[in-house]
Amino acid sequence: MIFGCHVSIRNGYLGAAKRAEAYGAAAFQYFPKNPRSLSIKDFDRGDAGSCKEFCQEHGMVSVAHTPYSTSLTPSEDKKELTIASLLNDLEIADSCGSVGVIVHFGSQISKTDPLASYHLMLEMLNSVLSQWSGEALLLIENNAGTKGALGTTFEELVQIRNLADYPEKIGFCLDTCHMFASGLWNGENTEEFFAKGQELHYFKHLKIIHLNNSKYPTGSRKDRHANIFQNGLIKDEHLKDIVTSPILKQIPFVLETPDDEGITHREEIKQLYQKWG
């Protein structure tokens, strides 16, 4: 099993890798730059290279996550800035040896044209990836369904990748809280969940799993993460069915859970290895 968590880059990219390793993690996620800005970062390539070497030496997997304000369905005045920011994120991730950069599926932008959001997403993906030749992938994450968000079904996720000009540069990130909140998976339909994902070849391109419990019930469309073994509404046995599934073998599970609600990421990772590792 490969368990890890999100870590800060306040001590640089190598510092983030060392922090994750100290937590007992075999994988980690990080923001490549200020998570509240789309600004372009002139990053320390030596530090990024050292991060890559450290991960290779310790057998660790890393993945980057775009800043909060990144959207594949941006307003017209943010399109060029978003494209430049995504390319910057991909360059940083590639330099760190990361598997890719996670970005959320787009949101509804028109009340009259249901396809407008999908057209804009494809335009954005094609624009970014036509300019990208590195190894890091753009990893599209499923949504919880808040604020009319799209991207809550396997069909949408797979079809966007299939219709893009560069599908080989696109992978997926699956969030367990989001799939529970959206109703894609409710804990009781695990067999159907895996069957549908396999039928559509979704899992073939899945690279990272966000392992989170949920503070709200399934179908609520509320995105509030809870710790795995406390304060969450997803039952342990249901999460175990996901984590230990042979279909997801060798895919890293990265925590995005609260680390200030009675348990730290270090403790949570230890629990995961003891119970399911």
Side-chain angles (χ1 to χ4, degrees), residues 179-199:
M179 70 192 203
F180 184 74
S182 69
L184 173 63
W185 172 77
N186 59 25
E188 303 288 347
N189 66 334
T190 301
E191 185 176 342
E192 176 188 338
F193 169 83
F194 279 122
K196 175 60 72 172
Q198 286 186 297
E199 176 189 342

Side-chain angles (χ1 to χ4, degrees), residues 44-94:
D44 185 335
R45 295 176 184 275
D47 179 39
S50 295
C51 173
K52 180 178 181 178
E53 291 176 6
F54 184 89
C55 290
Q56 290 174 338
E57 290 171 3
H58 292 79
M60 299 178 72
V61 179
S62 70
V63 66
H65 196 299
T66 56
Y68 297 122
S69 52
T70 307
S71 172
L72 288 177
T73 49
S75 57
E76 187 63 34
D77 62 321
K78 292 282 184 68
K79 284 173 64 175
E80 293 305 317
L81 178 59
T82 301
I83 290 168
S85 179
L86 280 166
L87 286 167
N88 184 222
D89 294 339
L90 283 165
E91 186 177 13
I92 293 172
D94 210 43

Side-chain angles (χ1 to χ4, degrees), residues 1-269:
M1 301 302 300
I2 304 173
F3 293 121
C5 63
H6 186 98
V7 293
S8 168
I9 62 164
R10 61 176 175 269
N11 293 319
Y13 304 117
L14 175 59
K18 288 183 174 180
R19 177 181 292 272
E21 197 267 341
Y23 287 171
F28 67 95
Q29 175 181 277
Y30 62 96
F31 288 119
K33 56 196 178 195
N34 184 341
R36 292 176 175 79
S37 172
L38 291 177
S39 60
I40 306 305
K41 182 175 182 177
D42 184 14
F43 65 100
D44 185 335
R45 295 176 184 275
D47 179 39
S50 295
C51 173
K52 180 178 181 178
E53 291 176 6
F54 184 89
C55 290
Q56 290 174 338
E57 290 171 3
H58 292 79
M60 299 178 72
V61 179
S62 70
V63 66
H65 196 299
T66 56
Y68 297 122
S69 52
T70 307
S71 172
L72 288 177
T73 49
S75 57
E76 187 63 34
D77 62 321
K78 292 282 184 68
K79 284 173 64 175
E80 293 305 317
L81 178 59
T82 301
I83 290 168
S85 179
L86 280 166
L87 286 167
N88 184 222
D89 294 339
L90 283 165
E91 186 177 13
I92 293 172
D94 210 43
S95 297
C96 288
S98 302
V99 64
V101 177
I102 297 166
V103 62
H104 286 266
F105 200 97
S107 300
Q108 191 63 260
I109 61 172
S110 173
K111 294 182 179 180
T112 58
D113 183 0
L115 296 180
S117 298
Y118 300 105
H119 290 156
L120 179 54
M121 278 188 68
L122 287 170
E123 178 188 339
M124 293 291 292
L125 288 170
N126 293 340
S127 181
V128 170
L129 297 177
S130 67
Q131 302 175 63
W132 177 243
S133 59
E135 295 184 10
L137 301 173
L138 201 57
L139 305 175
I140 301 177
E141 180 177 353
N142 60 307
N143 283 332
T146 58
K147 299 179 180 178
L150 310 176
T152 61
T153 66
F154 284 137
E155 287 85 353
E156 290 172 279
L157 295 158
V158 170
Q159 189 70 335
I160 279 292
R161 182 182 182 277
N162 289 344
L163 292 174
D165 290 344
Y166 306 92
E168 72 280 2
K169 300 180 184 182
I170 299 172
F172 299 120
C173 167
L174 180 66
D175 189 298
T176 56
C177 173
H178 296 179
M179 70 192 203
F180 184 74
S182 69
L184 173 63
W185 172 77
N186 59 25
E188 303 288 347
N189 66 334
T190 301
E191 185 176 342
E192 176 188 338
F193 169 83
F194 279 122
K196 175 60 72 172
Q198 286 186 297
E199 176 189 342
L200 297 174
H201 305 294
Y202 172 86
F203 296 115
K204 180 180 179 181
H205 306 290
L206 180 62
K207 303 300 180 182
I208 295 287
I209 296 172
H210 283 162
L211 183 57
N212 302 306
N213 209 314
S214 175
K215 291 187 176 182
Y216 287 94
T218 186
S220 65
R221 294 182 175 264
K222 292 184 178 181
D223 181 12
R224 289 292 302 280
H225 298 181
N227 293 105
I228 303 304
F229 302 113
Q230 62 185 46
N231 304 322
L233 295 182
I234 306 177
K235 297 178 181 179
D236 288 5
E237 60 265 30
H238 291 161
L239 273 175
K240 181 182 179 181
D241 289 340
I242 297 296
V243 174
T244 61
S245 170
I247 295 171
L248 304 181
K249 187 177 180 180
Q250 298 302 312
I251 297 178
F253 289 85
V254 177
L255 295 168
E256 289 184 316
T257 52
D259 60 358
D260 58 354
E261 296 185 6
I263 185 170
T264 65
H265 281 151
R266 184 198 301 267
E267 293 168 328
E268 206 163 11
I269 289 170

